[in-house]
Amino acid sequence: MTKSDLHSNHCPTQSDHLCMPEEARKRARHRLSIARGHLESIVKMLDAEDVYCVDVLRQIRAVQGALSGASDVVLRGHLEAHVATAAERGDTVEMVDELMEALRYR
Amino acid sequence: MTKSDLHSNHCPTQSDHLCMPEEARKRARHRLSIARGHLESIVKMLDAEDVYCVDVLRQIRAVQGALSGASDVVLRGHLEAHVATAAERGDTVEMVDELMEALRYR
Amino acid sequence: MTKSDLHSNHCPTQSDHLCMPEEARKRARHRLSIARGHLESIVKMLDAEDVYCVDVLRQIRAVQGALSGASDVVLRGHLEAHVATAAERGDTVEMVDELMEALRYR
Amino acid sequence: MTKSDLHSNHCPTQSDHLCMPEEARKRARHRLSIARGHLESIVKMLDAEDVYCVDVLRQIRAVQGALSGASDVVLRGHLEAHVATAAERGDTVEMVDELMEALRYR
C-alpha cells in the first residue's frame, strides 16, 4: 500500500478525517434497511392482542442477529481501512483505544 | 392464583392459546418503536460519504441494547404469566423446552 | 404435580430452601470440571513465549462456550423445578425478579 | 515505528511467526489463573446437595466476565502489535479475516 492509497482512507470532503470505505457503507446500509423493515413488522405484530411472547422473543433475536451481521461489515471495513494502517499513520494507540471501547459489551 | 386467574393467561379470542400479558405487550411495543426510529436514523447516517465506522458501530450497539431491553420486558411477562404457572397447567417440560430454545444464542 | 412432589424441590437437609435438582447439579459439575481443565491448559499455553494471540482468543472462546452450556443446564433445572412451580408456592414475583437479575448481561 | 520495532513482533525463536506481546501474555495469564481458581470453587460448590441454582448461575456469570476481561487483554495486544502493522507487512486481508473469524460468536 502506497502513501497515496492511504489518502483514499480520508473523506472526499474533509482530508483530516477517516471515512468508512464505500463498499462497507453500502453493504451496511442495505443490511440495516432490511433489519428496520423486520423491526417494523414486529411492532405491528405487537398490535395483536393474541400475540405469543415466545414468537416475539424469536423475532427480536432475528433482528439482533441481523444487526450483528451489519456490525461485522462495518468492523471489517474499519479494520482493513483504518486499523491495519495505524502504524503507518502513527496513531495506533488512539485507534486501538477507540475500537476496544466500541467493542465493549458487544 | 385461582383457576379463573389462569384463564386470564389465555387469549380473549382463542381459549386454547397463551397470550402475552397486555402491559408487557404495550411496553415492548413502545420500546421497539423507539428502537425502529433509532435504526432509521442510522440508515440515513449511512447516506453520508464521510460517516465514520466507529460512530456507526456505537449507534448499532445502542440499538442492540434497546432490543435487549425490549426482549427483557417480553421475557419477564412470559415468565410471570406462563412459565410460573406451568406446573398448574401440567405443561412444564414443553414450556421450558420452548423457552430454552428461544434463549439460545442470546 | 402433587404437593409431595413440590417438597422434593426443597433441600434434603433444609426444608425452607429451594435446591438444585440432583441431575442438573451432577451434569453441571461434570461440564464445569471439563471447562476448568481446558482453562488450565490455556494458562500453561501462555507460559510459552511464542504463543499466538488469535490461538489464545479461540481457546478462551471455546471455554466461554462450555460455560454457557453449563449455565444452560443449571437454568433448565431451575426453570423446571423452581420457576414452573412458583404460582403453586405463591412466590412468582420474587422468583422472576431474581432470575431476570441473574440473566442480565448474559 | 521503525522496521526494527516491527521485528520485535516476531517470536524470539521463530522469525517467521507473530508472537503475543510479552506484557499482554503475562497479564492474560494472571487473569486466567484467577478465573481458573474461581471456576474450581464453583465445581466444589456443586458438591453440596443444597446448592441453589441462581447462586451457581451468578458465579458462572462472574467467571464469564473474567474470561471476557482476559480476552480483551489479548485482543488489545493483538490489535496494537499485529493488526495495526498489517499494512506495513502487506498481510491486511489475511489478518482481518483471521480476526473476524476469532471474534465471531463473541
Side-chain angles (χ1 to χ4, degrees):
Chain A
M1 190 175 265
T2 67
K3 208 67 186 165
S4 84
D5 284 319
L6 276 178
H7 286 159
S8 69
N9 294 327
H10 289 270
C11 291
T13 49
Q14 297 163 263
S15 64
D16 61 341
H17 177 80
L18 294 171
C19 269
M20 198 164 159
E22 190 175 359
E23 196 203 324
R25 187 167 61 83
K26 293 194 168 168
R27 288 182 59 211
R29 193 191 181 289
H30 179 66
R31 284 179 176 234
L32 291 174
S33 294
I34 293 171
R36 178 194 51 187
H38 196 160
L39 190 46
E40 173 70 36
S41 74
I42 307 176
V43 173
K44 281 188 186 134
M45 185 180 171
L46 284 164
D47 284 331
E49 283 185 355
D50 65 345
V51 68
Y52 180 49
C53 315
V54 176
D55 293 332
V56 178
L57 289 176
R58 285 184 190 122
Q59 296 300 322
I60 296 176
R61 190 68 36 97
V63 175
Q64 284 177 315
L67 293 185
S68 292
S71 202
D72 280 355
V73 168
V74 179
L75 178 58
R76 178 182 283 272
H78 182 58
L79 289 168
E80 288 182 359
H82 307 142
V83 182
T85 53
E88 288 179 332
R89 278 192 316 277
D91 60 7
T92 295
V93 174
E94 296 86 338
M95 291 300 286
V96 172
D97 279 352
E98 181 187 65
L99 180 57
M100 290 301 296
E101 178 61 35
L103 290 180
R104 194 151 301 163
Y105 316 119
R106 179 193 163 84
Chain B
M1 189 174 265
T2 68
K3 206 67 187 165
S4 84
D5 284 320
L6 275 178
H7 286 159
S8 69
N9 295 326
H10 288 270
C11 292
T13 49
Q14 296 163 265
S15 65
D16 62 340
H17 178 80
L18 294 171
C19 269
M20 199 164 160
E22 191 176 357
E23 197 203 324
R25 188 167 60 84
K26 293 194 169 168
R27 288 182 58 211
R29 192 191 182 288
H30 179 67
R31 284 179 177 234
L32 291 174
S33 293
I34 293 171
R36 178 194 50 187
H38 196 160
L39 190 47
E40 173 70 35
S41 74
I42 307 177
V43 173
K44 282 190 186 131
M45 184 180 172
L46 284 164
D47 284 331
E49 283 185 358
D50 65 344
V51 67
Y52 180 49
C53 315
V54 177
D55 294 331
V56 178
L57 288 176
R58 285 185 189 122
Q59 296 300 322
I60 296 176
R61 190 67 38 98
V63 174
Q64 285 177 315
L67 293 185
S68 292
S71 203
D72 280 355
V73 168
V74 179
L75 178 58
R76 178 182 283 271
H78 183 58
L79 289 168
E80 287 183 358
H82 306 142
V83 182
T85 53
E88 288 179 332
R89 278 191 316 277
D91 59 6
T92 295
V93 173
E94 296 86 339
M95 291 301 286
V96 172
D97 279 352
E98 182 186 66
L99 180 57
M100 290 301 296
E101 177 62 34
L103 290 180
R104 194 151 303 162
Y105 315 119
R106 179 194 164 84
Chain C
M1 190 173 267
T2 68
K3 208 67 186 166
S4 83
D5 284 320
L6 275 178
H7 286 160
S8 69
N9 294 327
H10 289 270
C11 290
T13 48
Q14 297 163 265
S15 65
D16 61 340
H17 177 81
L18 294 171
C19 268
M20 199 164 159
E22 191 176 358
E23 196 203 325
R25 188 167 60 84
K26 293 194 168 166
R27 288 182 59 211
R29 193 191 181 289
H30 179 66
R31 284 180 176 233
L32 291 174
S33 294
I34 294 172
R36 178 194 50 187
H38 195 160
L39 190 46
E40 173 71 35
S41 74
I42 307 176
V43 172
K44 281 188 187 134
M45 184 180 172
L46 283 163
D47 284 331
E49 283 184 356
D50 65 344
V51 67
Y52 180 48
C53 315
V54 176
D55 294 330
V56 178
L57 288 176
R58 286 185 189 122
Q59 296 300 322
I60 296 176
R61 190 68 36 98
V63 175
Q64 285 177 314
L67 294 185
S68 293
S71 203
D72 280 355
V73 168
V74 179
L75 177 58
R76 177 182 285 271
H78 183 58
L79 289 169
E80 287 183 359
H82 306 142
V83 182
T85 52
E88 289 179 332
R89 279 192 315 277
D91 60 6
T92 295
V93 173
E94 296 85 340
M95 292 300 286
V96 172
D97 279 352
E98 182 186 66
L99 180 57
M100 290 302 296
E101 178 60 35
L103 290 180
R104 194 150 302 161
Y105 316 117
R106 178 192 164 84
Chain D
M1 190 174 266
T2 67
K3 207 68 186 165
S4 84
D5 284 320
L6 276 178
H7 285 159
S8 68
N9 294 327
H10 289 270
C11 291
T13 49
Q14 297 163 264
S15 65
D16 62 341
H17 177 80
L18 294 171
C19 268
M20 199 164 159
E22 191 176 358
E23 196 203 324
R25 187 166 62 83
K26 293 194 168 168
R27 288 183 59 212
R29 193 191 181 290
H30 179 65
R31 285 181 175 233
L32 292 173
S33 294
I34 294 171
R36 179 193 50 188
H38 195 160
L39 190 46
E40 173 70 35
S41 74
I42 307 177
V43 172
K44 281 186 188 137
M45 184 181 173
L46 284 163
D47 284 330
E49 283 186 356
D50 65 344
V51 68
Y52 180 48
C53 316
V54 176
D55 294 330
V56 178
L57 288 177
R58 285 186 189 120
Q59 296 299 323
I60 295 177
R61 190 67 37 98
V63 175
Q64 285 177 314
L67 293 185
S68 292
S71 203
D72 280 355
V73 168
V74 179
L75 177 58
R76 178 182 284 271
H78 183 58
L79 289 169
E80 287 182 359
H82 307 141
V83 182
T85 53
E88 289 179 333
R89 280 192 315 277
D91 60 7
T92 295
V93 173
E94 296 85 341
M95 291 300 286
V96 172
D97 279 352
E98 182 187 64
L99 180 57
M100 290 302 296
E101 179 60 35
L103 290 180
R104 194 150 303 163
Y105 316 117
R106 179 192 164 84

